[in-house]
């Protein structure tokens, strides 16, 4: 799954490099790169924390 994330971030970086201005590049990186990556990592971490908490209660 991390390989897909790395590929997506590379794609977004290349998309941002091809923009006409620095402002557009930053917006592309923010809205297509940083925010989706943060959301994905937050959801994955939340599932892991919940699974670890459930495992600790049963032990």
């Amino acid at each position: 799954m991390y390989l897909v994330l790395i590929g997506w971030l590379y794609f977004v970086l290349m998309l941002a490099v091809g923009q006409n201005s620095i402002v557009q590049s930053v917006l592309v990186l923010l809205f297509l790169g940083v925010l989706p990556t943060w959301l994905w990592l937050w959801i994955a971490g939340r599932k892991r924390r919940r699974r670890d908490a459930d495992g600790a209660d049963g032990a």
Side-chain angles (χ1 to χ4, degrees):
M1 200 62 183
Y2 288 112
L3 188 59
V4 173
L5 181 63
I6 291 168
W8 174 251
L9 289 175
Y10 178 77
F11 171 76
V12 170
L13 180 66
M14 292 298 111
L15 192 63
V17 168
Q19 297 300 315
N20 293 330
S21 71
I22 293 178
V23 174
Q24 287 178 337
S25 296
V26 169
L27 289 175
V28 165
L29 280 174
L30 180 67
F31 288 113
L32 294 179
V34 174
L35 291 178
T37 301
W38 174 79
L39 180 64
W40 182 80
L41 290 173
W42 180 70
I43 290 171
R46 191 171 149 201
K47 286 181 182 178
R48 174 174 278 188
R49 285 189 300 272
R50 184 179 298 153
R51 187 176 58 232
D52 289 345
D54 290 342
D57 291 340

